């Protein structure tokens, strides 16, 4: 795959995760206030937080794949990264 296309794909995944995380935090804050003021309980909040949280975690793992850490060429990537940091 073209390097630029891969970079764009990763950037889009990170942007999607960040947008969903902000929406998750704002919406759950509003739901928490509504539950506290009107419902006197937080069962609705926990329900929404749990299922929406699963979706946010899914976006997180798509944006920041940990599978690359165990890839066969992971060590070589780390060596190259350290060499570039050292200026060689």
């Amino acid at each position: 795959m073209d390097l630029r296309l891969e970079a764009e794909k990763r950037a889009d995944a990170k942007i999607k995760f960040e947008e969903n995380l902000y929406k998750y935090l704002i919406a759950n804050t509003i739901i928490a206030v509504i539950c506290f003021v009107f419902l006197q309980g937080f069962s609705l909040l926990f329900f929404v937080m749990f299922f929406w949280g699963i979706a946010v975690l899914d976006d997180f793992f798509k944006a920041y794949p940990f599978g690359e850490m165990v890839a066969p060429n992971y060590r070589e990537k780390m060596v190259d990264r350290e060499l570039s940091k050292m200026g060689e």
Side-chain angles (χ1 to χ4, degrees):
M1 181 180 283
D2 184 58
L3 200 56
R4 172 141 180 103
L5 292 175
E6 181 66 26
E8 289 176 357
K9 180 181 167 186
R10 289 183 181 194
D12 290 341
K14 289 178 182 180
I15 289 169
K16 180 182 176 188
F17 164 69
E18 291 174 1
E19 287 176 348
N20 287 342
L21 180 63
Y22 296 142
K23 291 174 187 176
Y24 175 81
L25 294 173
I26 291 169
N28 282 311
T29 302
I30 293 169
I31 293 171
V33 170
I34 291 171
C35 287
F36 181 73
V37 173
F38 296 108
L39 301 178
Q40 305 300 325
F42 292 98
S43 59
L44 174 66
L45 176 65
F46 294 132
F47 180 78
V48 172
M49 285 179 65
F50 178 74
F51 289 106
W52 195 353
I54 291 172
V56 172
L57 276 176
D58 181 51
D59 287 339
F60 172 77
F61 288 122
K62 288 178 183 174
Y64 301 97
F66 293 107
E68 293 176 353
M69 290 184 182
V70 295
N73 58 353
Y74 179 69
R75 183 180 183 281
E76 192 61 36
K77 288 180 182 180
M78 290 296 290
V79 170
D80 291 341
R81 189 179 305 150
E82 291 301 319
L83 285 172
S84 67
K85 287 180 183 178
M86 296 184 330
E88 293 185 28

